[in-house]
Amino acid sequence: NHTKATEFILVGFQSHPGPQLILSVLLSTMYVVTVVGNACMILIIRMDSKLHTPMYFFLENLSILDICYSSVITPKAALMFSLGRRIISYNGCASQMFFFSLFGTTEAFFLAVMAYDRFTAICNPLLYHIIMNRRLCVFMVVGSYLSGCINCTIQTGFTFSLSFCGPKEINHFFCDVPAVMHASCSDTFVNEIVMLAVCGSIIVGTTLVVFISYGYIIITIVQMPSAESKREAFSTCSSHMLAVSLFFGAVFFMYAQPGATSLPDKSNTISMLYTIVIPMLNPFIYTLRNREVKWSLKKQLKKK
């Protein structure tokens, strides 16, 4: 009989105290930038009535999601590196995994919804406000969260149904599904199949929506007679395409390929990209590549 684990030890990014402190300061700085950047995006959208459109409704919700997403991981990781205390309780690990999976999955669906929004705006401009009405927009946001809730319940439930014998080391800086699964003393074959099937279907499904939407968008833009129209259409889509590429590229590496649990060292670096770096970059990506947001920001600064 094995003693059930009551806590876990997170051993990702182990090094000497000096680099650990530098990493803690770096993570803390990135978290502050993430919160401030996304909060500013939310304020800009809410304060400017011209930005009260479906596109910015989704962008505002993405900013809220990024704050929540980053808050699940970054403060705990920064504290862990600064204090050198790498212990996380069994329940704390389960909670972190649940909310991380919830917000991560919801973000994948958000990006697909935003791609469909851009497809409708560019390919069906005359019907855009009829199709993308308020009810549909709210339904898409709620549906994204419900999909995230279903996935996180499955992933957390299956992972914590495994046996963990005594204090277990998790080769990660937070309780991610593959890393926790790898630390189990049970047979994880079924869990790996479930993770691959569920996460793979979510990633493939949302990616298909993005690719199909942007396929039609590119065809429509190429057929536009005016160079100015082409430039304007590309400017509204390029930021979203960059955000999608970063997010789905990292997530595919982590969850949608066989043997993901056997790559703990690479997963630490990749996970830091999509849990910490991307939520920080999103406000800058959407601001610097969007004339309407930049114009609104300048207007608000002049008022102040």
Side-chain angles (χ1 to χ4, degrees):
N1 294 329
H2 296 295
T3 303
K4 183 179 178 181
T6 58
E7 60 185 22
F8 297 101
I9 305 168
L10 301 168
V11 297
F13 292 119
Q14 281 191 322
S15 62
H16 296 295
Q20 292 281 296
L21 186 59
I22 293 170
L23 190 56
S24 174
V25 173
L26 179 63
L27 290 181
S28 299
T29 304
M30 292 171 76
Y31 179 65
V32 171
V33 173
T34 299
V35 173
V36 172
N38 282 286
C40 287
M41 180 68 77
I42 294 166
L43 285 173
I44 290 168
I45 293 170
R46 290 193 176 181
M47 292 173 67
D48 193 338
S49 59
K50 291 184 178 180
L51 300 182
H52 294 176
T53 63
M55 174 183 171
Y56 293 105
F57 173 74
F58 294 129
L59 189 53
E60 179 185 351
N61 279 278
L62 180 66
S63 293
I64 295 170
L65 187 64
D66 277 339
I67 292 173
C68 297
Y69 188 38
S70 184
S71 296
V72 173
I73 305 298
T74 316
K76 174 69 178 177
L79 194 64
M80 179 182 75
F81 291 131
S82 65
L83 300 179
R85 180 175 172 78
R86 295 174 170 269
I87 303 297
I88 185 169
S89 69
Y90 183 89
N91 291 334
C93 188
S95 299
Q96 189 181 60
M97 181 184 292
F98 180 88
F99 287 107
F100 164 73
S101 298
L102 169 63
F103 296 131
T105 307
T106 304
E107 179 140 347
F109 279 97
F110 263 25
L111 292 173
V113 165
M114 292 171 73
Y116 176 74
D117 171 72
R118 290 297 83 208
F119 157 74
T120 308
I122 292 172
C123 299
N124 296 291
L126 298 178
L127 298 175
Y128 175 64
H129 290 287
I130 297 173
I131 297 172
M132 299 302 294
N133 57 69
R134 182 73 178 181
R135 181 180 294 180
L136 180 62
C137 292
V138 172
F139 174 79
M140 286 179 163
V141 169
V142 173
S144 296
Y145 274 103
L146 285 177
S147 302
C149 194
I150 292 170
N151 181 53
C152 70
T153 301
I154 292 172
Q155 297 295 345
T156 307
F158 266 83
T159 303
F160 281 88
S161 67
L162 297 170
S163 297
F164 299 94
C165 319
K168 293 298 295 184
E169 291 187 348
I170 297 174
N171 193 353
H172 218 320
F173 62 96
F174 70 96
C175 290
D176 195 10
V177 176
V180 176
M181 197 187 301
H182 193 67
S184 171
C185 52
S186 301
D187 181 13
T188 62
F189 177 75
V190 174
N191 292 68
E192 290 189 44
I193 295 299
V194 170
M195 185 187 75
L196 187 62
V198 176
C199 293
S201 61
I202 290 171
I203 294 167
V204 170
T206 51
T207 304
L208 275 177
V209 172
V210 171
F211 279 148
I212 292 171
S213 297
Y214 276 102
Y216 279 106
I217 287 170
I218 291 169
I219 292 170
T220 303
I221 292 174
V222 169
Q223 293 175 346
M224 288 179 177
S226 167
E228 180 61 28
S229 298
K230 290 180 180 180
R231 189 160 45 249
E232 187 175 341
F234 269 121
S235 70
T236 60
C237 295
S238 58
S239 56
H240 185 250
M241 291 174 70
L242 177 58
V244 164
S245 300
L246 289 171
F247 182 84
F248 281 108
V251 170
F252 180 84
F253 178 87
M254 283 296 300
Y255 304 106
Q257 59 170 331
T261 59
S262 62
L263 300 168
D265 295 328
K266 289 183 179 179
S267 68
N268 279 304
T269 305
I270 299 296
S271 295
M272 186 168 283
L273 172 65
Y274 72 87
T275 59
I276 298 172
V277 177
I278 292 177
M280 179 188 69
L281 291 179
N282 275 346
F284 298 100
I285 291 172
Y286 285 107
T287 301
L288 296 175
R289 300 290 299 174
N290 191 305
R291 288 191 300 175
E292 288 180 322
V293 174
K294 286 192 287 187
W295 181 84
S296 179
L297 178 59
K298 289 177 181 177
K299 186 174 73 172
Q300 296 301 330
L301 289 173
K302 284 180 180 178
K303 284 184 179 180
K304 296 298 179 183

